[in-house]
Amino acid sequence: MGRAAELARVDRLLDDARAGRPGLLVVEGEAGIGKTALLEAAAARAAGCTVLRARGIESEATLPQAVLLELLGPLRPLLPEVPPGQAAALAAALGWGPADVPGERHLVAAGTLSLLAAAAAAAPVLVLVDDLQWADAESAAALLFAARRVHGDRVAVLVARRPGAGPLPGAEVLPVTALPADDARTLLAGTVAPAVARRLAGRVGGVPLALLEVAAALSPAQRAGTEPLPADLPVGPALSGAFEPELAGLPAGAREAVLLLAAAHDGSAAAVAAALARSGTDPAAALDAAEERGVVVRDGDALAFRHPLLRSLVWRRATPAERRRAHRLLAGTARTGDDLAAVWHRALAAAGPDDALAGELAAAAGRARARRGYAASSAALERAAALTGDAARAAELLAAAVRDAAVGGDAVRARALAGAVLRGAAPAAARAEVLHVLGRVEQDTGSVPAAGDLLRAAADLATGRTAAWVLTDLAVVQHRLGDVTGMRATARRIAAAADAGDPLQRVLAAWVTGIAALHAGDPDRGRRLLHRALETAEGEPGLRAEPRLLPLLVLAVGWLPDPPAAVPVVERRLREARELGALGVLVAVLSMTAHGRAELLGDHPGAYADAGEAVELAEELGYVADAAPALELLAEEAAARGRHGEAAAHLDRARALVARAGTAAVAAHLTLSEAFCALCRGDLAAVARLLEGRLAADGGVGALGEPLGVAPLLVEAWTGLGRAAEAAELAGEYERVSRSPLPPTAALVARCRALTCPDDDAATALFEGALAAHALAPDPFETPHTRLLFGARLRRSGQRTRARAELAAAADAFAALDLTAWAQRAEGELRATGRTARPRRPLPEEPLTAQETRIAVLAARGASNAEVAAALFLSPKTVEHHLSSVYRKRGLRSRVGLAALFPPAG
């Protein structure tokens, strides 16, 4: 009634899904407004679709994967079609297979995506989840992850929830509001007299449930309008009062039955009946009375309240003693094998400390954790702490609850529980663990300086491996903040505290002391220590697959004498992290590998791909500090392809994240990215303004702290602006501070000198020297960049024939990198020499997106669609869709041409 617009939107969702355009629609409105009716209407209109249903239930919110199990149960026969690692993790989470399989919670989400995609191959799929606000955290996260990452699959996801539950990125929200007065009156037609309908609509409002419940509670005379309406009618927040007469009129046995149902976890009529029998109540009579009065509905063994508000009202009406008794009865009737529910009921029935029960609950938390049920595990540990008589043990359990909340991605809960530990007299080990977890959470999703404060406090309390990890994380924070003094102090602490007999502690100590030495101006010692850390991490079997080491090793690679030699190690560990679903690690690693591919390997398609994936995953996780550098590189790559609006948007987001992370004062990398994007669009004045600011701020160090790292861009800008004297002075200073430079730096030094040299012959010699240095350490971007500048100088000096050779080589090289803007710039210089023919490699008319590039790179390496999908946490249809776009944009007919388009880098 009165929902034509909402139904039209649901129809579009279904039509889009049938056509391979998946969607996620959130129906949002207050209790009783008609959300469930819309979901039922969607199911009725989903002809030809596989309809999957589940409902969040308040009492089941602490059970791991409860909603996901209900939702995906019908698809279990399709599990063999899911990639093996994802299938094993999903089976472990849902109790379909052994729990002791590797993989993180995100692998369950990826498995959910793959299972839905497999079902959609046979028929369109409609996923309906009611009361999402009460779904267990893992189920909600897995479903929303899957819904956001399908593309080309025939999947529609329609969920209902109440307002105030927080934003859902990537979802369209369909508000469901009160019925207009005319529709409200029509709803009551045939139930009450027209005049009564008008009065009820005016007093109760347009909430359908309230109208129907109030009308049903009226006496016949009141419905007919021969007697006045009651003075007090339940409206607004008091809507649940409409159910009071029904509950008040229940016989004692039925009241007990509905209280047991409110406390139950599985909605089983048999479980409620067994509990009633244990209490001496006739189950049949009690359940029949509750059903006859319309409080509950029964379908076989499934028993449910007619409306979720009834559950809440029943529970609020009960005394604490009655609630504990209900849990006690249910604990004694739990089905065999349902030990988690039994322990939970016993724990909720306990009125005082019970150390034995606390131990059982902690063990149940371990089983929930094995099923990737971190929210359930955290809740169980919190309750176990409350049941423990030993304050020290309670603090340890709460500390473990903090850890599981953080692992499950619930930073708000982790912080709240941590406060309870830190306010009490917790042992040093528990306080250290909590402070460490908070430091990691803050570093990922909040303020980097605040993370440093937390980690310093943890370092004063931690011992053993925990201390080594705390100090390592602290060194990472200090690296982000450019705190060289702090890094040196941290290096001394870890060197003194690390156990040389523990390979992990040796790796961490070597890494921290190596990074500190590099920042302190001792590169030789720093590189030796980092090389030692890498060798130990690779040489110890127990450390070869440790995902937490991967970000450290990738960061170290940039300082090693031969970075390409370490690429196979990084690539192997990156594959393993993907196989584990270690998304948190992947955000940091992909952000760094993107920069490494661009700056060390010259692999710009790979850099574009990694940066794009890092940004997408960071958005999924709410990460901040690692997302900003990825956004910066994504902006650079977009600008180099001529996508300047897109680049500007990425830079805006990067600035916001840098400010939120508290690293704006030391964000040289952000300014350098802004300057490069300005150079790509030809705005030399902006390049100069930005980099002059860095000169004033810190002497113009580069993104990795290299002396005068801003010089190559600033010299080019000043030269183009006619500020020759300033450019020449900076070029000379750059040469002086780059003592015994490695070939890449030597090439840039020579290029700067060439740009500022007034004599054409001398400039030619310097450009030739720059190209010779590039040849010793080929850089696919900087080499053609130098050729472009050299060719332009040759053209201006009248040497057009030689200029054409340099410019044609530059244009071809830029086109091979898919850097359209730079290729077009080189072509423009070529035309200025009088050449009219296009270069040997035609320019693409439409640049690839980051995701298209990512998929194309993996496909070019020989991965099948299914393998690409598994690696990138996508569906095969999504991969197929993007590959089709790649073929269209590049004029290819199959993946045979991809290998030539995206050859291996390094």
Side-chain angles (χ1 to χ4, degrees), residues 234-645:
V235 295
L239 171 60
S240 58
F243 296 118
E244 282 283 1
E246 297 177 37
L247 296 179
L250 288 176
R255 285 200 300 273
E256 184 177 19
V258 296
L259 179 59
L260 287 166
L261 179 59
H265 286 146
D266 60 0
S268 164
V272 173
L276 288 168
R278 281 177 60 86
S279 73
T281 300
D282 180 359
L287 290 173
D288 286 347
E291 188 175 7
E292 287 166 4
R293 284 162 175 77
V295 176
V296 301
V297 291
R298 185 162 31 175
D299 182 9
D301 186 50
L303 191 65
F305 286 98
R306 193 179 81 249
H307 192 277
L309 280 174
L310 279 164
R311 177 189 295 274
S312 301
L313 184 58
V314 165
W315 197 246
R316 285 202 305 271
R317 285 166 54 95
T319 66
E322 289 172 332
R323 296 174 190 170
R324 289 195 298 272
R325 181 172 182 273
H327 282 300
R328 193 160 47 248
L329 288 169
L330 289 166
T333 58
R335 292 172 294 185
T336 302
D338 197 4
D339 54 343
L340 180 59
V343 172
W344 256 114
H345 283 306
R346 289 171 55 209
L348 294 172
D354 187 332
D355 287 323
L357 183 54
E360 290 184 53
L361 204 52
R367 292 190 291 275
R369 190 182 305 114
R371 292 180 57 185
R372 283 73 170 174
Y374 295 104
S377 172
S378 182
L381 289 165
E382 181 185 12
R383 181 60 181 159
L387 293 174
T388 303
D390 182 338
R393 175 60 177 154
E396 292 171 355
L397 290 168
L398 269 182
V402 172
R403 179 198 62 221
D404 282 353
V407 171
D410 192 343
V412 173
R413 174 175 170 79
R415 291 186 176 105
L417 292 174
V421 176
L422 299 176
R423 286 191 297 270
R431 296 179 73 84
E433 180 174 6
V434 165
L435 289 165
H436 185 204
V437 170
L438 288 181
R440 291 297 301 266
V441 168
E442 199 68 36
Q443 185 177 178
D444 290 336
T445 64
S447 161
V448 175
D453 294 339
L454 291 162
L455 292 169
R456 276 187 288 273
D460 292 337
L461 300 170
T463 59
R465 282 192 166 192
T466 300
W469 274 117
V470 169
L471 290 168
T472 302
D473 288 332
L474 179 57
V476 171
V477 166
Q478 291 162 337
H479 164 70
R480 291 186 192 277
L481 296 174
D483 180 7
V484 177
T485 301
M487 291 179 70
R488 294 175 68 180
T490 301
R492 288 192 294 271
R493 290 184 68 174
I494 198 170
D499 179 359
D502 180 357
L504 175 63
Q505 294 188 56
R506 288 205 310 274
V507 169
L508 298 179
W511 187 88
V512 172
T513 52
I515 292 292
L518 283 163
H519 281 270
D522 190 352
D524 293 338
R525 178 169 179 265
R527 292 188 184 107
R528 284 197 305 272
L529 288 165
L530 292 179
H531 191 264
R532 182 189 307 167
L534 182 61
E535 280 191 329
T536 305
E538 282 298 287
E540 292 289 336
L543 301 181
R544 281 178 59 84
E546 171 54 72
R548 290 182 297 174
L549 289 177
L550 180 54
L552 306 179
L553 299 179
V554 173
L555 187 58
V557 165
W559 280 291
L560 293 178
D562 184 16
V567 168
V569 173
V570 172
E571 295 285 7
R572 174 184 59 77
R573 286 181 175 260
L574 190 54
R575 285 194 303 272
E576 291 168 352
R578 290 186 184 282
E579 290 167 2
L580 290 172
L583 265 61
V585 167
L586 288 177
V587 172
V589 170
L590 289 169
S591 182
M592 288 186 283
T593 58
H595 283 272
R597 291 187 196 281
E599 296 159 11
L600 301 176
L601 304 179
D603 175 13
H604 287 268
Y608 193 35
D610 283 2
E613 187 178 7
V615 168
E616 286 181 14
L617 295 180
E619 288 176 348
E620 289 281 354
L621 302 179
Y623 279 21
V624 175
D626 289 315
L631 279 164
E632 293 159 15
L633 186 61
L634 203 57
E636 292 184 31
E637 294 293 331
R641 287 161 172 79
R643 305 166 76 105
H644 300 301

